[in-house]
């Protein structure tokens, strides 16, 4: 499973637990988006861990991986996204992972829509932590934003700042002002993108004007290419109209 996880660019393995109590503790401390659980574990069972964590789930998806088929109904009763029976193929595992990622994306989108875009004014500034205090960063100065547990990491040129608002909520507010999701844990300001870089590993990264690299998830590549091409075309159109005006 660890090898299969590392083969998926949109997923980062943040922790592993050997028993139910450790799993519960890691979920509380790391706040992962996706949790893979066995049913029978020392101490707390997977069902008990899921039930406890579901009391405050956020945008979290649970996938059970077990040799015991008789617990499937109970697993779905505690909001499991999928239930894998051992032995299973890599393809079946990746299918479950895809379902979990899609669930998290939908949950993030719903959180972003909490503020009605028809009534809420466009976001112009974001308050961030800076040297023990707070400072205001203009949205137009931001290159890209990455998820960092329940917070967000704001990248402005060579600097970065921590924002207390989750990425899902920021993404919902910033889409209207030119930001694009490029990874399940990252968004970028389109006007900040200068070029697309393909690494030797095959991964795609975006290069901003400040030469900062932003990762692109594999399944976001087509939409990112299309959006950037549209943005570049719009820039050329604006430049042409400006030249015509001066003439």
């Amino acid at each position: 499973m660890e090898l299969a996880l590392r083969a998926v660019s949109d997923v980062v393995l943040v922790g592993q637990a050997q028993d139910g109590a450790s799993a519960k503790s890691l979920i509380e401390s790391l706040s992962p988006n996706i949790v893979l659980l066995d049913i029978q574990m020392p101490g707390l069972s997977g069902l008990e861990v899921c039930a406890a964590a579901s009391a405050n789930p956020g945008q979290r998806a649970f996938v059970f991986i077990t040799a015991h088929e008789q617990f499937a109904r109970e697993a779905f009763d505690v909001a499991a996204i999928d239930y894998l029976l051992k032995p299973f193929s890599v393809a079946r595992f990746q299918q479950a992972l895809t379902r979990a990622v899609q669930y998290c994306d939908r949950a993030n989108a719903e959180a972003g829509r909490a503020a009605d875009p028809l009534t809420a004014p466009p976001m112009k500034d974001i308050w961030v932590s800076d040297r023990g205090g707070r400072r205001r960063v203009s949205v137009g100065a931001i290159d890209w934003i990455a998820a960092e547990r329940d917070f967000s990491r704001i990248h402005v040129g060579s600097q970065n700042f921590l924002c207390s608002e989750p990425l899902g909520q920021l993404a919902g507010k910033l889409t209207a002002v030119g930001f694009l999701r490029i990874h399940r844990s990252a968004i970028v300001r389109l006007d900040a993108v200068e070029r697309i870089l393909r690494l030797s590993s095959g991964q795609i990264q975006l290069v901003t004007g400040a030469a900062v690299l932003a990762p692109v998830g594999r399944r976001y590549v087509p939409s990112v290419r299309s959006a950037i091409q549209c943005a570049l075309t719009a820039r050329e159109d604006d430049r042409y109209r400006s030249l015509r005006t001066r003439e």
Side-chain angles (χ1 to χ4, degrees), residues 217-230:
R218 188 178 306 165
R219 66 195 184 90
Y220 292 93
V221 170
S223 60
V224 167
R225 287 187 184 276
S226 176
I228 290 177
Q229 184 58 49
C230 289

Side-chain angles (χ1 to χ4, degrees), residues 34-148:
I34 300 173
V35 179
L36 308 178
L37 282 173
D38 201 345
I39 292 287
Q40 294 187 335
M41 299 186 292
L44 298 174
S45 71
L47 293 169
E48 291 171 321
V49 172
C50 182
S54 294
N56 184 24
Q59 288 80 47
R60 186 171 300 136
F62 290 91
V63 176
F64 282 95
I65 299 175
T66 178
H68 305 283
E69 61 181 12
Q70 68 268 29
F71 297 108
R73 176 175 294 181
E74 294 176 68
F76 289 113
D77 284 344
V78 291
I81 298 303
D82 209 336
Y83 193 92
L84 273 66
L85 283 174
K86 302 175 185 177
F88 52 84
S89 65
V90 172
R92 178 67 182 90
F93 177 75
Q94 291 180 339
Q95 180 187 48
L97 208 59
T98 297
R99 287 178 180 172
V101 170
Q102 291 173 345
Y103 170 84
C104 292
D105 286 345
R106 287 194 301 271
N108 282 325
E110 290 170 2
R113 285 194 295 269
D116 186 356
L118 296 178
T119 58
M123 179 178 280
K124 296 181 179 179
D125 306 288
I126 297 177
W127 284 94
V128 299
S129 300
D130 183 33
R131 299 178 182 177
R134 304 274 287 172
R135 66 174 289 183
R136 184 162 55 186
V137 174
S138 170
V139 166
I142 296 172
D143 292 321
W144 67 290
I145 306 175
E148 188 163 315

Side-chain angles (χ1 to χ4, degrees), residues 5 7-12 34 101 105 182-185 216-220:
L5 283 169
V8 182
S9 61
D10 289 356
V11 174
V12 177
I34 300 173
V101 170
D105 286 345
I182 60 171
H183 193 282
R184 61 178 297 271
S185 59
V216 178
R218 188 178 306 165
R219 66 195 184 90
Y220 292 93

